Amino acid sequence: MKLIVDTKNITPVYKQIIDQITVAIINEELKEGAQLPSIRQIAKDLAINPNTVAKSFQGLEASQLIISAGRKGSFIHSNAIENIKEMNTAQLQQVLIDAINQCRDLGFENQKIKKVFNQLISGEKI
Amino acid sequence: MTEQGVLIFIYLIQVIVFQFFTTPLMSKLSYKQALAKNKQWVLENNNILQKFPPPKFNLSYIAGIILLFILGYGAYVGNSKLLNAVNSFSILILLFQTFVIDPRYSREIKSFIPEPAIKEANLEPRLFSTYLSATKRYVLTALAIVSVTLWGAVLFTNNVSLTKELVVDFSSSFILIICFYSVLVYTINRSPLKTSLEASKYYRLLEIKFLYYSLIILFMRSIYMGCIYISESLNLWPFHSILNNLFFTLIPLITFAWFCFDKNIKELANESFVS
């Protein structure tokens, strides 16, 4: 799998790496338990600072998507896909909470919000 | 002139020529050449990153440094006070050149090389052996097995002084290779052309090739030493000292020449690209 970073992109390079590895895990391009190249190796290939790659790996480790086993290297977490799903669910909840709060601010009742939401989900015309 | 005298004289000439003339001259000329070429690229190519930069110039520089160490080591083996003095002084020259003169050239060249925005890397873990073809892996394994077997045989003779000598010899070769490798990596890391990904691919090729050929030298050397020690202890094979010294000088040089012309290190072509 190829890792591509664009240094001119607004998204920071470390975030680009995290996003691409996350997507690769979901698409099963990187299988659970698979080993990743070392931080130095990736930094060398991309001609970027090793600290940038280390920051990405720290982020992935904090999200329990990879496990760092010291000198042995970094591996994809055995529950990586489930963890991503949990993370995504939490993100979905947050997005919906924000949307519901906005709707309430606009003066809609719960019944109306539910009705519109169900219509949108089922693809009906409002 | 005695045999030892002839050897010392040859080493002295080699050390003076390579360490005081060839290496500094190669370095200076190569940087000037790179500067001239890079200026030309920037002027001629709007999309300079599509072009392969000519990092070949660095090979001569690295060759100079490696020769310096080989000959410096030769001087050490020659064990003459004069040679050691010349060698020590030439190392000071190298340090001056490395830390004071070359960075100045580097800064000048760097200003002409843009950095690519889009960069790629392979996400599969790689080991040193990943890059070696099956033949190269077999050669290394065979040499390692023969080397270890011979060492076992020497240890089996239970000759304490011989074993000590062998351990010292192998360790010194190993330290020498570590020194070479460190110089190579240092040279690569501060190279102005490293900003280009194509160039960094080329440098990784150099590193891998260097490790491969260094290991070959190390194993061949230990095989040769093992043969000498065993034959000497059994009074079977009286080696002439000039032959021994020629081996120490020629084998690394021949291997290094082989290194320069061998392009068959696989899979690097798919590693990283300039976009």
Side-chain angles (χ1 to χ4, degrees):
Chain A
M1 188 230 150
K2 288 258 182 246
L3 187 68
I4 301 167
V5 295
D6 184 355
T7 49
K8 283 186 180 165
N9 196 320
I10 309 167
T11 315
V13 171
Y14 86 91
K15 188 78 175 53
Q16 290 180 39
I17 296 174
I18 290 178
D19 292 345
Q20 284 182 55
I21 291 180
T22 309
V23 170
I25 293 170
I26 294 170
N27 295 341
E28 294 194 11
E29 282 180 84
L30 288 173
K31 295 214 161 58
E32 291 172 343
Q35 193 179 3
L36 289 170
S38 67
I39 289 172
R40 281 186 170 276
Q41 181 109 58
I42 295 176
K44 215 169 188 180
D45 286 356
L46 295 172
I48 58 174
N49 196 318
N51 289 334
T52 309
V53 185
K55 197 173 173 184
S56 312
F57 275 39
Q58 279 166 10
L60 289 164
E61 207 177 346
S63 313
Q64 294 193 319
L65 301 189
I66 65 167
I67 299 174
S68 292
R71 295 183 67 83
K72 282 183 182 172
S74 300
F75 299 85
I76 304 294
H77 198 285
S78 53
N79 290 327
I81 293 180
E82 281 171 30
N83 293 338
I84 291 173
K85 281 177 185 166
E86 273 177 31
M87 253 177 11
N88 289 348
T89 309
Q91 267 187 342
L92 174 70
Q93 281 176 355
Q94 194 54 51
V95 168
L96 290 177
I97 287 168
D98 290 346
I100 291 166
N101 287 338
Q102 269 190 340
C103 294
R104 281 175 183 158
D105 290 347
L106 289 171
F108 290 106
E109 297 286 325
N110 283 354
Q111 203 63 30
K112 177 71 178 168
I113 297 171
K114 267 185 201 171
K115 194 181 170 191
V116 173
F117 183 79
N118 286 333
Q119 281 175 327
L120 285 172
I121 283 278
S122 58
E124 289 173 28
K125 283 185 182 175
I126 301 167
Chain B
M1 199 181 268
T2 61
E3 186 188 295
Q4 184 71 8
V6 171
L7 269 178
I8 291 175
F9 181 73
I10 292 170
Y11 276 135
L12 190 65
I13 296 294
Q14 284 178 330
V15 169
I16 289 173
V17 169
F18 280 109
Q19 297 186 15
F20 289 96
F21 295 101
T22 314
T23 312
L25 203 66
M26 277 202 298
S27 170
K28 192 175 177 180
L29 288 177
S30 60
Y31 273 109
K32 283 197 166 179
Q33 187 192 8
L35 178 62
K37 280 185 180 174
N38 285 309
K39 267 181 180 169
Q40 203 58 30
W41 290 341
V42 177
L43 289 173
E44 286 178 359
N45 304 292
N46 291 327
N47 195 358
I48 188 174
L49 298 171
Q50 298 297 329
K51 298 280 175 188
F52 191 88
K56 280 181 186 168
F57 80 94
N58 252 15
L59 194 62
S60 59
Y61 180 58
I62 294 163
I65 291 171
I66 291 175
L67 277 174
L68 189 152
F69 273 95
I70 290 171
L71 295 171
Y73 185 69
Y76 174 74
V77 171
N79 201 22
S80 136
K81 278 181 186 171
L82 178 63
L83 268 178
N84 282 330
V86 170
N87 191 44
S88 309
F89 188 65
S90 62
I91 284 175
L92 289 180
I93 300 260
L94 171 78
L95 291 176
F96 180 72
Q97 188 188 321
T98 309
F99 293 107
V100 180
I101 299 174
D102 290 348
R104 206 185 66 202
Y105 292 132
S106 296
R107 276 197 299 275
E108 207 178 337
I109 299 168
K110 210 167 185 171
S111 62
F112 289 98
I113 303 169
E115 196 169 334
I118 296 175
K119 304 165 175 185
E120 291 186 2
N122 206 334
L123 260 187
E124 278 132 35
R126 286 143 285 164
L127 296 170
F128 166 62
S129 58
T130 314
Y131 300 103
L132 300 181
S133 63
T135 318
K136 281 190 165 66
R137 278 203 294 268
Y138 288 140
V139 168
L140 266 191
T141 315
L143 283 175
I145 289 171
V146 175
S147 169
V148 169
T149 311
L150 270 173
W151 273 53
V154 170
L155 295 174
F156 189 68
T157 58
N158 208 17
N159 184 333
V160 178
S161 65
L162 205 63
T163 310
K164 266 186 191 169
E165 222 175 307
L166 199 59
V167 168
V168 168
D169 186 80
F170 191 82
S171 312
S172 63
S173 304
F174 190 72
I175 290 167
L176 200 68
I177 283 171
I178 296 288
C179 288
F180 287 173
Y181 187 68
S182 308
V183 169
L184 180 77
V185 171
Y186 176 74
T187 311
I188 286 170
N189 282 337
R190 67 180 185 76
S191 165
L193 289 178
K194 198 171 176 271
T195 46
S196 153
L197 275 178
E198 279 293 349
S200 72
K201 188 173 81 179
Y202 177 85
Y203 291 132
R204 289 198 55 211
L205 178 90
L206 273 186
E207 275 185 50
I208 290 158
K209 279 174 75 167
F210 183 83
L211 265 181
Y212 173 69
Y213 287 102
S214 296
L215 286 172
I216 284 191
I217 290 179
L218 187 71
F219 288 138
M220 284 178 78
R221 191 186 157 99
S222 71
I223 289 170
Y224 184 77
M225 294 306 290
C227 286
I228 286 180
Y229 289 139
I230 288 174
S231 60
E232 275 180 359
S233 64
L234 299 174
N235 285 326
L236 290 176
W237 196 7
F239 272 85
H240 199 271
S241 64
I242 283 190
L243 190 65
N244 295 349
N245 285 303
L246 271 179
F247 181 88
F248 290 136
T249 313
L250 283 180
I251 289 296
L253 287 180
I254 290 169
T255 316
F256 186 67
W258 185 17
F259 163 89
C260 291
F261 291 105
D262 182 11
K263 290 178 182 171
N264 185 26
I265 300 286
K266 66 173 190 174
E267 287 188 20
L268 261 179
N270 300 321
E271 282 289 301
S272 53
F273 301 92
V274 176
S275 302

